[in-house]
Amino acid sequence: MKRLLILTVCMTAAVSAHAAQARSLTDTLLDGKVSETFLDNHDMAFQMRGSLRTDIPQGDKPSARFRMDNFRWNIEGRIGKNRELYYHFRQSFNANFRSNTFDNLLESIDYAYMAWTPVRQFTLTFGKQVMALGGQEAWAAPVYVIQYSDFGGSFPCYQLGVMGTWHITPTQDLAVQISNLRGVSDEEYFQGGLPEGVESSRAPFLYTLNWNGNFFNDALEFRWSASYGSQAVRKDLWIVELGQSYRSTWWGVYLDLIYSRQDLDANGILSRASVFSDGLDHTLENVEYFSAIGYLHLFFSPSFSAFLKGSIEHGSLYRPYGEIPAGLCRSSWNAQACLEYMPTKSRDFRFFLHYNYYSSSPTGYGTALGIASTQEHRITLGLIYIMNIF
């Protein structure tokens, strides 16, 4: 069951839900096998990451604490005569348990969807799912991502919607997805609510075209996407994500490139960093973001591995904001190094020692927005455990 439903990416051991779902369903229809027991077709697990974390912020005293960084419940499986129906439910115990005002679903729920494969070339997915954005970081299981990029960590990528996937070949997928852009009201979603005079969108959807391609026996993978969204009346959003990766038995690498142009600051990175003269929160308009994320994972033995991860990200205004001219406003850097030990030689159980450096600073016209410099070092000693119930 697990070999059919889970695509293990060696460099992150991350679960790629969309690709695994599509491929496992297609393979099931091709091989024609029929399971005899419930457990052969259903998986349930708890995903946990706990740590002792020491934060060393710039200009402040170091602090240390034990914390549960990530704790999720995950269940998935296949049903139907030919196992043509796939379901996936995942809920976080670290997120809010309030009901979203827009989609009427708990904010803590990541996945609550069904996928139907009537023929082996096509899958229809409906329910709360991950946005079909490109790149590798967006598809990694959160339990394995110790530190996200600014863009990846600030964009709410789990939303209700529908997606159709054409399995062009066993290694090529083309997907079209329509999803909610947000799960909450405009006032909750945008850092300072809608700007004065801006009217709420009647259909705040995100439309995404996604291509996933695998080559050379799945060693080389591309995840590319282009998205358009309606934020408000005459206020739009564009996202282009290009992810490419290569993996072998002992090492793996990926590079994600992200560009987003937003009439309203959906990520809120620039809006949160700005200090306005009236002391209130405001949603910046006409912003754009660029992120480059690189990752290298090395497996020294079945028990030891290490990875390096880094990102550089920029935030800009592509039109003037009041008296502030268009141009670059903020830049951030992130560097990570991690050593992992798997005592049972299972990647579902590992200890890790992780170092994280983060720095952001105003650039160009950023000082006019009141953006300040920040710098932080973090050392984390932790444990990742996937507890498979059945």
Side-chain angles (χ1 to χ4, degrees), residues 23-216:
R23 199 161 300 167
S24 63
L25 289 169
T26 303
D27 292 346
T28 296
L29 292 172
L30 285 171
D31 61 33
K33 295 178 181 178
V34 177
S35 177
E36 296 180 355
T37 68
F38 176 86
L39 297 183
D40 288 334
N41 287 283
H42 306 270
D43 288 330
M44 176 179 170
F46 286 98
Q47 304 173 355
M48 295 173 286
R49 186 179 77 240
S51 67
L52 170 61
R53 193 170 91 174
T54 302
D55 294 311
I56 311 173
Q58 181 184 24
D60 204 351
K61 295 181 180 179
S63 62
R65 55 179 168 166
F66 289 100
R67 52 178 281 142
M68 181 62 72
D69 300 302
N70 196 284
F71 186 19
R72 283 173 162 84
W73 169 43
N74 185 83
I75 183 169
E76 56 188 319
R78 300 189 308 269
I79 55 179
K81 181 179 179 180
N82 295 314
R83 290 177 278 180
E84 69 275 10
L85 289 173
Y86 169 85
Y87 69 89
H88 195 175
F89 176 86
R90 190 176 77 192
Q91 183 175 18
S92 172
F93 294 99
N94 303 104
N96 289 321
F97 275 71
R98 65 180 182 181
S99 180
N100 284 337
T101 56
F102 190 83
D103 63 19
N104 198 35
L105 198 64
L106 289 179
E107 186 176 320
S108 60
I109 294 176
D110 296 337
Y111 293 139
Y113 69 82
M114 294 285 295
W116 176 45
T117 302
V119 294
R120 64 179 182 179
Q121 294 87 5
F122 180 75
T123 298
L124 180 65
T125 305
F126 42 94
K128 191 168 186 181
Q129 56 197 279
V130 66
M131 289 177 172
L133 303 176
Q136 299 295 327
E137 188 185 59
W139 287 95
V143 69
Y144 291 112
V145 185
I146 299 174
Q147 178 66 44
Y148 278 96
S149 64
D150 281 352
F151 190 93
S154 60
F155 196 79
C157 63
Y158 299 108
Q159 299 293 343
L160 275 169
V162 61
M163 178 172 63
T165 304
W166 176 27
H167 310 301
I168 307 170
T169 70
T171 61
Q172 306 286 315
D173 289 337
L174 187 65
V176 177
Q177 184 188 64
I178 303 174
S179 69
N180 288 340
L181 183 61
R182 52 184 172 84
V184 295
S185 66
D186 291 321
E187 289 70 25
E188 296 173 277
Y189 182 73
F190 295 107
Q191 174 68 15
L194 287 178
E196 186 177 352
V198 176
E199 185 179 349
S200 181
S201 173
R202 299 293 184 269
F205 296 147
L206 187 74
Y207 307 86
T208 299
L209 178 65
N210 172 276
W211 170 65
N212 299 322
N214 291 272
F215 303 90
F216 307 117

Side-chain angles (χ1 to χ4, degrees), residues 253-266:
V253 61
Y254 76 69
L255 174 65
D256 286 352
L257 302 174
I258 306 171
Y259 173 76
S260 182
R261 189 179 180 96
Q262 307 173 2
D263 289 348
L264 300 175
D265 189 3

